[in-house]
Amino acid sequence: MTPDEPARPGAEGGHRLPGCYRHPERETGIACGRCGRPICPECMVSASVGFQCPECVQDGNREVRQARTRFGGLPVADGALVTKTLIGLNLLVFVLTEYVRPEWWDTLALQSLAPPNWYTEYGVAAGPDQWYRLVTAMFVHSGVVHLVMNMVSLWVLGPQLEHVLGRVRFLGLYLASGLMGGAVSYLVAGAHLNSVGASGAIFGLLGATGVLFKVTRTPLGPLIALLVFNVVITFSVKAIDWRAHLGGLIAGVVTGVGLMYAPPARRGLVQGLTVAGVVVAAALIVVLQTARLNG
């Protein structure tokens, strides 16, 4: 029955109410405030004025533009979930490699021709089946101090970027920076590589924060001071891998520019190509360096 049809006559000469459009056997005096179809209590959905049927509610939801962060991410209640998850993974891997399975440290670290394998292809230099180290090495640390310093830095830099970029873009930035940090370290160190830690990815966050401050016109003084402090520490402590820091910083700046300056009309495409471009560049470095060492 359509809304314009007269009520059906009852069995004793009276008039019956129209039946619900989804349940015709149920009489109802309520109509959808949007399309006018009769709806029973089961099908009623409260609206700002009156009630609507389920189909009109779905159509209305599709017409509502989904809220986005400034740079295209989805706003969420917990703006630091990815940051917390990354910290948790780093802590878990540290416990595993330090106390549960210490032998995993050598299996997960970013190494090439490390002792006692000076004269054989080893680690990432051995080829594609060892390139997983570029990822796993980001979660391995060489001691409590190393871990604490990186996790504190991640907690300071991560939530702000995750909030404005959204979870997916932030994770892409973190991983792309970490991969490029490992790739640059492998490129420079070559056959004498032994590196672990999240520093490359964290320096990427530092570079992206610089881009964010530039976009939002936030004074760069405190960030520059932090960067100078980290550079001094990087080149003062012999055990720190400055190559990974440099690679991560460059990747963070490049990725940050692509994520934050992407034109709104093509934002998703530009952002995706930026992250993918950094990852492909890191992979190309690894492929060429491996071929050179094994040539």
Side-chain angles (χ1 to χ4, degrees), residues 29-228:
I30 304 297
C32 173
R34 187 170 183 179
C35 70
R37 290 181 292 192
I39 48 178
C40 67
E42 182 180 336
C43 299
M44 294 177 189
V45 179
S46 296
S48 56
V49 178
F51 300 94
Q52 291 184 5
C53 66
E55 279 76 7
C56 286
V57 172
Q58 292 177 1
D59 291 341
N61 290 337
R62 281 194 292 267
E63 293 173 3
V64 175
R65 190 173 181 180
Q66 192 171 29
R68 294 279 180 174
T69 66
R70 179 171 183 173
F71 304 112
L74 295 174
V76 293
D78 186 352
L81 179 62
V82 175
T83 301
K84 294 174 183 177
T85 301
L86 289 171
I87 291 175
L89 287 174
N90 278 278
L91 292 173
L92 175 62
V93 173
F94 179 76
V95 171
L96 290 175
T97 56
E98 190 75 13
Y99 304 107
V100 182
R101 289 287 187 271
E103 65 274 15
W104 285 4
W105 198 97
D106 287 324
T107 302
L108 302 178
L110 186 60
Q111 297 180 340
S112 65
L113 305 188
N117 306 285
W118 292 117
Y119 305 106
T120 59
E121 296 169 359
Y122 179 76
V124 68
D129 63 331
Q130 292 289 308
W131 290 348
Y132 70 86
R133 294 173 180 271
L134 292 161
V135 177
T136 58
M138 285 191 274
F139 298 93
V140 180
H141 290 82
S142 58
V144 174
V145 174
H146 187 204
L147 175 71
V148 170
M149 289 181 63
N150 278 343
M151 294 305 98
V152 169
S153 299
L154 177 54
W155 181 247
V156 170
L157 297 171
Q160 177 180 233
L161 286 169
E162 185 177 346
H163 176 73
V164 298
L165 292 176
R167 291 172 180 172
V168 175
R169 290 164 177 80
F170 172 73
L171 183 60
L173 165 68
Y174 185 89
L175 295 177
S177 299
L179 287 172
M180 182 57 77
V184 171
S185 184
Y186 181 43
L187 176 65
V188 177
H192 304 285
L193 175 63
N194 192 351
S195 179
V196 294
S199 302
I202 291 171
F203 263 75
L205 301 186
L206 189 61
T209 300
V211 178
L212 175 63
F213 280 15
K214 182 68 175 176
V215 172
T216 57
R217 297 182 180 180
T218 303
L220 292 171
L223 184 66
I224 293 175
L226 178 61
L227 178 60
V228 171

Side-chain angles (χ1 to χ4, degrees), residues 8-16:
R8 294 172 292 181
E12 299 180 357
H15 292 282
R16 296 178 59 190

Side-chain angles (χ1 to χ4, degrees), residues 8 16-30 38-43:
R8 294 172 292 181
R16 296 178 59 190
L17 294 173
C20 173
Y21 82 102
R22 298 177 72 190
H23 308 96
E25 72 282 359
R26 301 178 187 176
E27 296 183 2
T28 178
I30 304 297
I39 48 178
C40 67
E42 182 180 336
C43 299

